[in-house]
Amino acid sequence: MFHINDNFCKLAESYLFSEVARRINAFKDAHPDAEIIRMGIGDVTKPLCPAVIAAMHDAVEEEADAASFHGYGPEQGYAFLREAIAENDYHLRGIDISADEIFVSDGAKSDTGNIGDILARGNRVAVTDPVYPVYVDTNVMGGRAGEKINGSWDRIIYLPVTAENGFVPALPSEVADVIYLCYPNNPTGTTLTRDQLKVWVDYALKHGSLILYDSAYEAFIREDDVPHSIYEIEGARKVAIEFRSFSKTAGFTGVRCAYTVVPKELKGYTADGKEISMHHLWNRRQCTKFNGASYVSQRGAAAIYTPEGKAQTREVVDYYLRNAEVLRKGLIEAGLEVFGGVNAPYVWIKTPDDMDSWRFFDMLLERCHVAGTPGSGFGPSGEGYIRLTAFNTYENTVEAVKRIGATRFD
Ligand code: PLP
């Protein structure tokens, strides 16, 4: 008789977005004429930009001819893409990351989830709360989360980020071995300044902790004091792994391409205290379990770094940022307390009169025909908030704000 990984049985049955979809569908069945504006799920809506499309067409043509055909590529990604990333995302910003420290992949979701493969089960893991659910659920799968008691995992260290602390996580009282930070943040849409991020790098240096830094929304940063990479902070090469994705930068949610940076200085420790290169371990893991992102998607991703690709992707991100501003300003004018939405495609709204997240979700759906995501689905400290995304059209965003502004929530 074989046995399963029992940790999977600990996971909640209904993933947040399935419950959101269930409620929207039930409402639609009851009100078939209602025009629902979906501002829940964080998928992009704009097509790939012309430079990416052209590069992918060319790549498909190459695959059609035996002389230029590409089969298995390097597990770490093609040099043309790794070099473009190192040059544009790091060197041009004065950051020291070399092409061979970059591992191209099929997504930041897989990488942030898979990184647990190279980490011991006994590590104490800290997450900001609310949080992108992948970090928590993959640690449940890996046996690092403990048991769920009153909605929280007893081995996970929760770092609340709420209006009360200005969405800046405080250092934990117990030592965290592994710390997930996501900035610009999903779901709150907030950011840290360089000084605020430095506190975490210094903490990790002092305690021998590892920071898993997810900057999937880096392309949305517009303010000067917001770091684009954790490696802008001195010492970060010794303590941090950085995850980036082309999903939100350039509409690759369907194409799939992302990358993870593992600096050569980053060392982990064996149970008997021996130092091991994390770069070596991640490379070993990838070579064993991953055969690389497709040639076509990597050619598409490389086109983002051409002058046309840069201009075209920026225009799309600016479009979403304009939506975020419409949401933020409009909802503040409507009397709501609103956070995020400046360097991120998410706005995080305090529910009126402290009503719970699902109740406000239902109210927005029923009274405004606007679908968001309840904050409580992202963790205990998300209770009392709701997330709206800027990925809908400009027209729908304006309409959603108009509807919310014309509604009383009591
Ligand atoms: N990280 C964060 C914080 C996200 O919000 C998302 C997607 O919503 C991802 C990673 C997933 O990125 P990818 O599409 O590259 O898997």
Side-chain angles (χ1 to χ4, degrees):
M1 185 170 62
F2 74 94
H3 295 274
I4 60 148
N5 176 350
D6 274 349
N7 292 314
F8 278 69
C9 300
K10 297 180 179 177
L11 290 166
E13 264 317 312
S14 162
Y15 186 57
L16 171 64
F17 292 111
S18 8
E19 178 58 17
V20 167
R22 194 191 65 72
R23 292 194 191 206
I24 296 174
N25 288 336
F27 182 79
K28 253 174 51 186
D29 288 345
H31 307 88
D33 295 333
E35 281 191 26
I36 298 173
I37 302 178
R38 289 169 186 267
M39 304 192 123
I41 297 172
D43 200 354
V44 295
T45 49
K46 290 268 183 201
L48 295 164
C49 71
V52 167
I53 292 292
M56 288 175 70
H57 274 299
D58 290 347
V60 169
E61 289 305 324
E62 284 185 66
E63 295 298 76
D65 186 336
S68 52
F69 170 76
H70 290 76
Y72 289 126
E75 289 93 343
Q76 304 81 359
Y78 283 99
F80 64 78
L81 179 55
R82 299 172 90 194
E83 280 159 16
I85 293 167
E87 176 61 18
N88 290 280
D89 288 345
Y90 295 100
H91 301 168
L92 288 181
R93 292 193 180 279
I95 303 168
D96 171 26
I97 290 294
S98 60
D100 64 355
E101 293 175 313
I102 291 160
F103 293 84
V104 175
S105 76
D106 63 353
K109 186 184 207 174
S110 349
D111 285 356
T112 52
N114 291 333
I115 197 75
D117 276 11
I118 63 169
L119 299 173
R121 224 180 111 172
N123 282 310
R124 291 299 307 276
V125 171
V127 296
T128 52
D129 169 31
V131 71
Y132 178 52
V134 172
Y135 314 149
V136 174
D137 285 2
T138 54
N139 277 292
V140 174
M141 292 171 182
R144 279 181 287 269
E147 302 301 323
K148 200 168 193 180
I149 298 168
N150 297 330
S152 303
W153 297 95
D154 66 352
R155 294 255 321 146
I156 298 238
I157 301 169
Y158 289 83
L159 310 166
V161 282
T162 60
E164 283 71 39
N165 62 12
F167 297 91
V168 179
L171 295 174
S173 47
E174 15 178 10
V175 173
D177 304 308
V178 178
I179 303 150
Y180 288 82
L181 295 177
C182 170
Y183 288 100
N185 187 256
N186 177 14
T188 65
T190 59
T191 49
L192 293 184
T193 63
R194 277 185 192 85
D195 286 347
Q196 289 164 341
L197 184 56
K198 182 177 183 309
V199 170
W200 285 95
V201 172
D202 290 348
Y203 175 91
L205 284 165
K206 181 170 163 203
H207 295 281
S209 316
L210 170 67
I211 297 178
L212 299 175
Y213 193 75
D214 184 345
S215 56
Y217 299 95
E218 179 275 338
F220 292 79
I221 295 171
R222 291 291 179 270
E223 291 186 321
D224 285 344
D225 198 26
V226 179
H228 288 256
S229 162
I230 194 165
Y231 306 116
E232 287 180 34
I233 313 296
E234 205 188 325
R237 284 181 55 89
K238 290 200 171 98
V239 295
I241 291 176
E242 180 162 285
F243 303 92
R244 292 243 192 133
S245 170
F246 299 110
S247 285
K248 310 297 159 72
T249 307
F252 272 51
T253 51
V255 173
R256 313 302 305 144
C257 198
Y259 67 87
T260 289
V261 183
V262 189
K264 300 250 177 78
E265 278 107 300
L266 180 61
K267 308 281 189 243
Y269 299 89
T270 60
D272 53 6
K274 216 167 83 199
E275 233 179 46
I276 302 279
S277 153
M278 295 297 277
H279 183 276
H280 170 76
L281 281 193
W282 185 243
N283 189 47
R284 190 73 180 82
R285 189 266 171 214
Q286 289 298 81
C287 291
T288 304
K289 291 197 182 181
F290 184 60
N291 254 335
S294 82
Y295 176 68
V296 177
S297 62
Q298 291 190 63
R299 275 292 177 201
I304 296 167
Y305 296 105
T306 60
E308 315 80 68
K310 281 183 190 176
Q312 292 164 3
T313 49
R314 190 171 171 104
E315 197 181 316
V316 175
V317 170
D318 279 343
Y319 176 90
Y320 295 134
L321 280 171
R322 182 166 70 134
N323 289 349
E325 187 175 84
V326 166
L327 277 175
R328 204 173 57 80
K329 287 200 171 145
L331 298 178
I332 290 170
E333 263 170 42
L336 292 163
E337 222 181 322
V338 182
F339 306 94
V342 177
N343 301 289
Y346 299 119
V347 294
W348 189 243
I349 304 160
K350 184 90 196 75
T351 61
D353 301 326
D354 284 331
M355 72 175 81
D356 75 56
S357 298
W358 277 111
R359 179 139 183 269
F360 190 50
F361 170 89
D362 288 335
M363 257 191 202
L364 275 182
L365 185 59
E366 284 158 19
R367 299 186 187 177
C368 309
H369 304 169
V370 170
T373 310
S376 54
F378 296 101
S381 297
E383 183 55 275
Y385 293 88
I386 199 158
R387 188 193 75 174
L388 294 185
T389 82
F391 291 124
N392 214 307
T393 61
Y394 176 74
E395 292 72 21
N396 279 348
T397 307
V398 169
E399 173 63 21
V401 167
K402 201 170 109 198
R403 291 185 196 170
I404 296 171
T407 306
R408 285 179 59 94
F409 298 104
D410 45 23

